[in-house]
Amino acid sequence: MSTPLEQFQHDAAQVAGDGDQRQFLRSSLSGYVTTRRGTQGRFQDYTSARAAAAEIKWNAIENLDKLLPQFADNLEARGVKVHWCRNGDDARKAILGVIHAHGAKSIVKSKCMTTEEIHLNELLENEGFEVVESDLGEFIVQLRGEAPYHFVFPAMHLKRGAINKLFKEKLKSADTDDPEQLTMIAREVLRQKYLDADVGISGANFGVAETGMISITENEGNARLTTAMPKVHIAVMGIEKVIPKLDDLALLLPLLATAGTGQHLTGYNSQLGGPRQAGEVDGPEEMHVVLLDNHRTRLLADQEQRDALRCIRCGACLNVCPIFKNVGGHTYGTTYQGPIGSVITPHLRGLSSWKHLSDSSSLCGACTETCPVQIDLHHHLLRNRRNSAQKQGGVLESLQMRIFSFVMRRPWLYGLGGKLGRIGHVLSRPIQGTKLDPLYKWRATRDFPDPAAKTFKEQWKERRR
Ligand code: SF4
């Protein structure tokens, strides 16, 4: 079995070597960035809006110990059963317990990355339940047996032709690459699933402590059906999703939409505060909220990096990240991809196996610049690198750094190294690109241009003469 690092290197080389796929990814992502720039203009002052949102989330994270009990008390007051879960095992047991208690057979789910984190579908399918994802993108990747490619756009790597082929094969649908018709095919299948489902499982974008409501943001209306039609609704949310007040949503909802997809406001925003009450005609008869820690408190305990818990999962940092654009989402091998995934995964799954994600960064800062809640992402990537070097810096790495430091402190040696490198480059021309070339693997996906005829220093000297 390969390690996460080996898997990453293998998959990254494959995706980065596929020019067509890279071009497709780049053009999709740049579309979102352009739309977002247009929508930002609707805020009177986008910079101040980001600062205010960061402040709301910062206060929430700093006061989790008070806000979480307040949130849970308010939920319970309206008949919601709250499950406090330390890890994935606890959450899986709690969810399975509810499903068994109702003798349920079929389950419909709306998009929820927290359930991806605890591999819920796998568990439920192994237990013999029918589980259907109702978000179109999630439905597509589920049919392909894949994980989401991007935590906001799960099927963004697929062109229409591939979806048509998939639907023909799995759903026996008619041949079409018309997006509207493809959507209608999925919709027809899904409508019946809502009617048949015994239990609906959703995530939550925010949990409002003041009112004890969960807030769900989506574009298709599928989460509304998932949470309202089956008799039992289970919402699964990470503990960092709690915010103090209902008023906070007035800023967070438009900011989430603008940053992530470039919309003014996402199509559907629902606030759910409990099961069907006396006199109400619809809604589930029973509602459960699963509050998941799963190492979030480990990140909370880290004073230097806890601000990563402010993340509202808008996906904007993925959309601007040069690494994501080149290696794609599956390469990360994590629930949360891109810069935020690289920052938090070492905290959620362990630094030693996942430090390579922080190493694989250009540190350009585009993620930090775009984050709507001002998380200092690229410095967190650097901090992960530092922590990893302090904990387990290898002998080879330390030797390399010593040599680097030795050379950099001696300009004459640096100059000599440069000259030798240039001579070596010229002499090695006959074997460049062949298997005798020590840089063979490296060159397979990269250009190594010939050095300039004169170094910068030489040119500088000449100009000053
Ligand atoms: S880190 Fe910031 S930009 Fe990235 S997903 Fe989270 S909120 Fe969005």
Side-chain angles (χ1 to χ4, degrees):
M1 213 169 75
S2 52
T3 63
L5 168 62
E6 287 163 351
Q7 188 70 43
F8 182 87
Q9 286 173 330
H10 171 266
D11 294 357
Q14 280 209 327
V15 183
D18 183 343
D20 284 350
Q21 184 65 12
R22 274 169 58 193
Q23 186 51 39
F24 176 64
L25 262 183
R26 276 164 190 268
S27 66
S28 311
L29 293 171
S30 61
Y32 296 123
V33 174
T34 312
T35 325
R36 192 191 69 220
R37 278 199 202 109
T39 326
Q40 274 173 214
R42 290 287 293 267
F43 284 83
Q44 201 172 24
D45 179 350
Y46 190 67
T47 308
S48 304
R50 288 175 70 210
E55 177 90 12
I56 291 171
K57 284 291 292 182
W58 177 250
N59 275 330
I61 298 305
E62 291 290 308
N63 291 296
L64 267 189
D65 56 333
K66 296 178 203 78
L67 294 177
L68 278 168
Q70 186 191 359
F71 176 58
D73 288 349
N74 282 331
L75 280 168
E76 282 168 347
R78 262 198 311 276
V80 179
K81 173 88 178 82
V82 177
H83 305 260
W84 296 89
C85 298
R86 189 168 292 278
N87 53 36
D89 257 357
D90 289 353
R92 285 188 291 267
K93 266 186 217 147
I95 295 165
L96 214 49
V98 176
I99 292 172
H100 280 308
H102 288 272
K105 290 199 170 46
S106 60
I107 296 152
V108 70
K109 278 183 73 219
S110 65
K111 190 168 168 303
C112 171
M113 294 311 293
T114 321
T115 60
E116 295 285 339
E117 196 182 317
I118 59 171
H119 306 292
L120 186 63
N121 284 12
E122 216 174 299
L123 168 85
L124 297 177
E125 281 161 6
N126 288 343
E127 293 276 329
F129 298 105
E130 190 202 18
V131 187
V132 180
E133 292 288 347
S134 60
D135 171 89
L136 181 58
E138 286 271 347
F139 177 66
I140 291 167
V141 290
Q142 187 187 26
L143 282 182
R144 286 170 62 93
E146 284 178 351
Y149 196 79
H150 178 299
F151 57 71
V152 175
F153 313 113
M156 69 164 301
H157 56 308
L158 299 171
K159 297 179 189 163
R160 288 181 225 166
I163 298 169
N164 174 33
K165 191 164 165 264
L166 176 76
F167 281 5
K168 279 199 302 184
E169 194 184 306
K170 302 274 181 178
L171 308 176
K172 311 290 173 231
S173 62
D175 189 41
T176 175
D177 70 350
D178 175 45
E180 202 173 319
Q181 290 210 19
L182 289 168
T183 309
M184 293 312 287
I185 292 165
R187 181 182 160 138
E188 204 172 310
V189 175
L190 289 170
R191 286 281 148 160
Q192 193 54 46
K193 300 293 178 193
Y194 294 120
L195 294 169
D196 296 342
D198 306 300
V199 173
I201 299 180
S202 75
N205 294 85
F206 301 101
V208 183
E210 176 188 48
T211 57
M213 287 172 168
I214 61 163
S215 177
I216 301 180
T217 291
E218 45 142 357
N219 264 318
E220 298 166 16
N222 64 300
R224 284 201 176 165
L225 292 171
T226 301
T227 56
M229 289 187 73
K231 282 188 177 168
V232 181
H233 169 209
I234 306 173
V236 186
M237 62 178 268
I239 52 172
E240 82 286 10
K241 298 282 177 74
V242 170
I243 54 168
K245 298 196 201 104
L246 193 61
D247 273 0
D248 297 333
L249 291 178
L251 174 60
L252 293 174
L253 292 182
L255 203 61
L256 174 63
T258 296
T261 55
Q263 291 168 281
H264 297 305
L265 201 58
T266 315
Y268 297 85
N269 290 287
S270 314
Q271 276 77 50
L272 309 174
R276 184 188 304 186
Q277 307 289 309
E280 289 180 350
V281 292
D282 53 16
E285 290 168 12
E286 204 172 297
M287 181 173 168
H288 296 256
V289 171
V290 173
L291 286 170
L292 181 70
D293 176 348
N294 214 22
H295 302 310
R296 284 161 173 80
T297 41
R298 191 152 75 187
L299 183 51
L300 184 66
D302 184 337
Q303 289 207 5
E304 201 181 36
Q305 294 201 278
R306 71 164 59 142
D307 68 332
L309 288 169
R310 291 204 299 243
C311 175
I312 55 172
R313 305 277 187 266
C314 68
C317 57
L318 281 65
N319 301 349
V320 296
C321 175
I323 306 303
F324 185 89
K325 283 182 201 169
N326 279 297
V327 305
H330 284 156
T331 299
Y332 286 80
T334 56
T335 308
Y336 307 104
Q337 311 85 3
I340 185 64
S342 304
V343 168
I344 62 174
T345 304
H347 292 271
L348 303 180
R349 296 196 189 178
L351 184 63
S352 60
S353 302
W354 296 95
K355 74 183 180 78
H356 60 278
L357 297 181
S358 304
D359 294 338
S360 314
S361 166
S362 60
L363 299 179
C364 63
C367 47
T368 302
E369 203 178 304
T370 203
C371 177
V373 284
Q374 297 185 320
I375 301 173
D376 189 3
L377 288 154
H378 68 297
H379 283 107
H380 283 319
L381 294 172
L382 263 178
R383 286 174 193 125
N384 279 349
R385 290 186 189 188
R386 180 206 58 200
N387 293 346
S388 142
Q390 278 173 352
K391 273 193 193 149
Q392 53 192 161
V395 179
L396 189 63
E397 195 177 350
S398 145
L399 185 67
Q400 283 171 345
M401 284 300 151
R402 275 167 201 255
I403 294 173
F404 178 77
S405 155
F406 185 83
V407 173
M408 294 307 281
R409 282 162 205 255
R410 291 161 183 82
W412 66 269
L413 194 54
Y414 177 78
L416 179 66
K419 276 190 187 126
L420 290 176
R422 293 154 78 84
I423 294 169
H425 182 80
V426 174
L427 292 180
S428 69
R429 265 201 196 114
I431 58 161
Q432 280 172 17
T434 72
K435 292 209 170 168
L436 295 173
D437 182 357
L439 296 179
Y440 173 70
K441 277 194 177 170
W442 195 89
R443 283 186 214 269
T445 52
R446 300 171 185 87
D447 294 329
F448 195 138
D450 284 344
K454 285 180 186 165
T455 64
F456 175 78
K457 243 173 131 181
E458 286 163 351
Q459 292 183 46
W460 183 257
K461 261 190 201 161
E462 273 180 21
R463 283 194 190 189
R464 295 189 60 145
R465 257 184 225 145

Short mmCIF file of all heavy atoms in Angstrom, two decimals, residues 63 75 82 108 124 144 153 158 174 177 248 289 297 304 337 353 363 373 379 430-431 440:
data_model
loop_
_atom_site.label_atom_id
_atom_site.label_comp_id
_atom_site.label_asym_id
_atom_site.label_seq_id
_atom_site.Cartn_x
_atom_site.Cartn_y
_atom_site.Cartn_z
N ASN A 63 -15.13 31.46 21.70
CA ASN A 63 -16.18 31.23 22.72
C ASN A 63 -16.95 29.93 22.48
O ASN A 63 -18.09 29.80 22.92
CB ASN A 63 -17.16 32.42 22.72
CG ASN A 63 -16.48 33.67 23.25
OD1 ASN A 63 -16.08 33.71 24.41
ND2 ASN A 63 -16.31 34.65 22.39
N LEU A 75 -31.61 23.86 20.74
CA LEU A 75 -32.10 22.79 19.86
C LEU A 75 -32.97 21.82 20.67
O LEU A 75 -34.08 21.46 20.25
CB LEU A 75 -30.93 22.02 19.25
CG LEU A 75 -30.20 22.62 18.04
CD1 LEU A 75 -28.92 21.86 17.77
CD2 LEU A 75 -31.08 22.60 16.80
N VAL A 82 -29.59 15.99 20.45
CA VAL A 82 -28.22 16.38 20.10
C VAL A 82 -27.25 15.27 20.50
O VAL A 82 -27.33 14.74 21.60
CB VAL A 82 -27.85 17.70 20.82
CG1 VAL A 82 -26.39 18.09 20.51
CG2 VAL A 82 -28.78 18.83 20.39
N VAL A 108 -31.62 9.27 2.06
CA VAL A 108 -31.24 10.27 1.06
C VAL A 108 -30.37 11.30 1.76
O VAL A 108 -30.58 11.62 2.94
CB VAL A 108 -32.50 10.87 0.39
CG1 VAL A 108 -33.29 11.75 1.34
CG2 VAL A 108 -32.17 11.62 -0.87
N LEU A 124 -22.69 2.96 5.68
CA LEU A 124 -24.11 2.65 5.51
C LEU A 124 -24.32 1.62 4.39
O LEU A 124 -25.16 0.73 4.51
CB LEU A 124 -24.90 3.94 5.23
CG LEU A 124 -24.90 4.96 6.36
CD1 LEU A 124 -25.66 6.23 5.97
CD2 LEU A 124 -25.50 4.39 7.64
N ARG A 144 -19.99 7.30 -9.96
CA ARG A 144 -18.67 6.91 -10.44
C ARG A 144 -17.82 6.23 -9.36
O ARG A 144 -16.68 5.83 -9.61
CB ARG A 144 -17.89 8.15 -10.93
CG ARG A 144 -18.38 8.66 -12.26
CD ARG A 144 -17.75 10.00 -12.58
NE ARG A 144 -16.30 9.96 -12.70
CZ ARG A 144 -15.64 9.79 -13.85
NH1 ARG A 144 -16.31 9.63 -14.97
NH2 ARG A 144 -14.33 9.78 -13.87
N PHE A 153 -17.59 22.13 -5.59
CA PHE A 153 -18.01 21.62 -6.90
C PHE A 153 -17.52 20.18 -7.05
O PHE A 153 -16.46 19.93 -7.64
CB PHE A 153 -17.43 22.48 -8.03
CG PHE A 153 -17.59 23.95 -7.80
CD1 PHE A 153 -16.49 24.77 -7.57
CD2 PHE A 153 -18.86 24.54 -7.81
CE1 PHE A 153 -16.63 26.14 -7.35
CE2 PHE A 153 -19.01 25.91 -7.59
CZ PHE A 153 -17.90 26.70 -7.36
N LEU A 158 -15.44 16.83 -14.54
CA LEU A 158 -16.08 16.06 -15.61
C LEU A 158 -16.74 16.95 -16.66
O LEU A 158 -17.47 17.89 -16.33
CB LEU A 158 -17.15 15.13 -15.00
CG LEU A 158 -16.60 14.11 -14.00
CD1 LEU A 158 -17.74 13.40 -13.29
CD2 LEU A 158 -15.70 13.11 -14.71
N ALA A 174 -31.24 8.29 -22.18
CA ALA A 174 -31.04 8.55 -23.61
C ALA A 174 -29.77 9.38 -23.80
O ALA A 174 -29.31 10.05 -22.88
CB ALA A 174 -32.24 9.32 -24.14
N ASP A 177 -25.99 15.51 -24.54
CA ASP A 177 -24.98 16.24 -23.77
C ASP A 177 -25.50 17.64 -23.45
O ASP A 177 -24.74 18.56 -23.17
CB ASP A 177 -23.62 16.25 -24.46
CG ASP A 177 -23.60 17.10 -25.70
OD1 ASP A 177 -24.69 17.52 -26.13
OD2 ASP A 177 -22.50 17.34 -26.23
N ASP A 248 -25.82 37.45 12.33
CA ASP A 248 -24.52 37.20 11.69
C ASP A 248 -24.70 36.63 10.29
O ASP A 248 -23.85 36.82 9.41
CB ASP A 248 -23.67 36.23 12.53
CG ASP A 248 -23.34 36.80 13.90
OD1 ASP A 248 -23.29 38.03 14.03
OD2 ASP A 248 -23.15 36.00 14.84
N VAL A 289 -29.18 16.27 15.70
CA VAL A 289 -27.99 17.02 15.27
C VAL A 289 -26.76 16.33 15.86
O VAL A 289 -26.67 16.13 17.08
CB VAL A 289 -28.06 18.50 15.71
CG1 VAL A 289 -26.71 19.19 15.45
CG2 VAL A 289 -29.16 19.24 14.95
N THR A 297 -10.78 20.05 18.23
CA THR A 297 -10.31 20.67 19.48
C THR A 297 -8.78 20.63 19.55
O THR A 297 -8.17 21.45 20.23
CB THR A 297 -10.91 19.97 20.72
OG1 THR A 297 -10.92 18.57 20.53
CG2 THR A 297 -12.32 20.43 20.98
N GLU A 304 -1.60 29.27 17.74
CA GLU A 304 -1.03 29.89 16.56
C GLU A 304 -1.86 29.62 15.30
O GLU A 304 -1.92 30.43 14.39
CB GLU A 304 0.38 29.31 16.37
CG GLU A 304 1.28 30.15 15.55
CD GLU A 304 2.64 29.48 15.41
OE1 GLU A 304 2.74 28.24 15.33
OE2 GLU A 304 3.62 30.22 15.38
N GLN A 337 -9.71 19.73 0.13
CA GLN A 337 -8.55 19.89 -0.76
C GLN A 337 -8.01 21.32 -0.69
O GLN A 337 -8.50 22.15 0.07
CB GLN A 337 -8.97 19.59 -2.22
CG GLN A 337 -9.74 18.31 -2.43
CD GLN A 337 -11.24 18.46 -2.21
OE1 GLN A 337 -11.72 19.55 -1.94
NE2 GLN A 337 -11.97 17.35 -2.33
N SER A 353 2.17 12.09 8.31
CA SER A 353 1.74 11.52 7.02
C SER A 353 1.25 12.57 6.03
O SER A 353 1.10 12.28 4.85
CB SER A 353 0.60 10.53 7.24
OG SER A 353 0.99 9.53 8.10
N LEU A 363 3.47 29.12 -2.04
CA LEU A 363 3.45 30.19 -1.02
C LEU A 363 3.23 31.56 -1.66
O LEU A 363 3.75 32.57 -1.19
CB LEU A 363 4.75 30.20 -0.20
CG LEU A 363 5.05 28.92 0.59
CD1 LEU A 363 6.36 29.06 1.33
CD2 LEU A 363 3.93 28.63 1.59
N VAL A 373 -12.75 35.17 5.17
CA VAL A 373 -12.68 35.36 6.62
C VAL A 373 -11.22 35.56 7.06
O VAL A 373 -10.87 35.34 8.21
CB VAL A 373 -13.34 34.18 7.38
CG1 VAL A 373 -14.84 34.28 7.33
CG2 VAL A 373 -12.88 32.83 6.84
N HIS A 379 0.82 31.51 5.47
CA HIS A 379 1.72 31.45 6.63
C HIS A 379 1.46 30.18 7.45
O HIS A 379 2.38 29.64 8.05
CB HIS A 379 1.59 32.71 7.48
CG HIS A 379 2.32 33.87 6.85
ND1 HIS A 379 1.68 34.93 6.25
CD2 HIS A 379 3.65 34.09 6.67
CE1 HIS A 379 2.58 35.76 5.75
NE2 HIS A 379 3.78 35.27 5.98
N PRO A 430 24.13 16.13 -24.24
CA PRO A 430 23.87 14.88 -24.99
C PRO A 430 22.97 13.89 -24.24
O PRO A 430 22.28 13.09 -24.86
CB PRO A 430 25.26 14.29 -25.21
CG PRO A 430 26.21 15.43 -25.04
CD PRO A 430 25.57 16.38 -24.10
N ILE A 431 22.99 13.91 -22.89
CA ILE A 431 22.17 12.91 -22.17
C ILE A 431 20.86 13.50 -21.62
O ILE A 431 20.05 12.78 -21.04
CB ILE A 431 22.96 12.26 -21.01
CG1 ILE A 431 23.43 13.33 -20.01
CG2 ILE A 431 24.09 11.40 -21.50
CD1 ILE A 431 23.79 12.77 -18.66
N TYR A 440 16.15 13.15 -15.15
CA TYR A 440 15.21 12.58 -16.12
C TYR A 440 13.75 12.70 -15.67
O TYR A 440 12.91 13.22 -16.38
CB TYR A 440 15.58 11.10 -16.36
CG TYR A 440 14.59 10.36 -17.22
CD1 TYR A 440 14.47 10.64 -18.58
CD2 TYR A 440 13.77 9.38 -16.67
CE1 TYR A 440 13.55 9.96 -19.36
CE2 TYR A 440 12.85 8.70 -17.45
CZ TYR A 440 12.75 9.00 -18.80
OH TYR A 440 11.83 8.34 -19.58
#
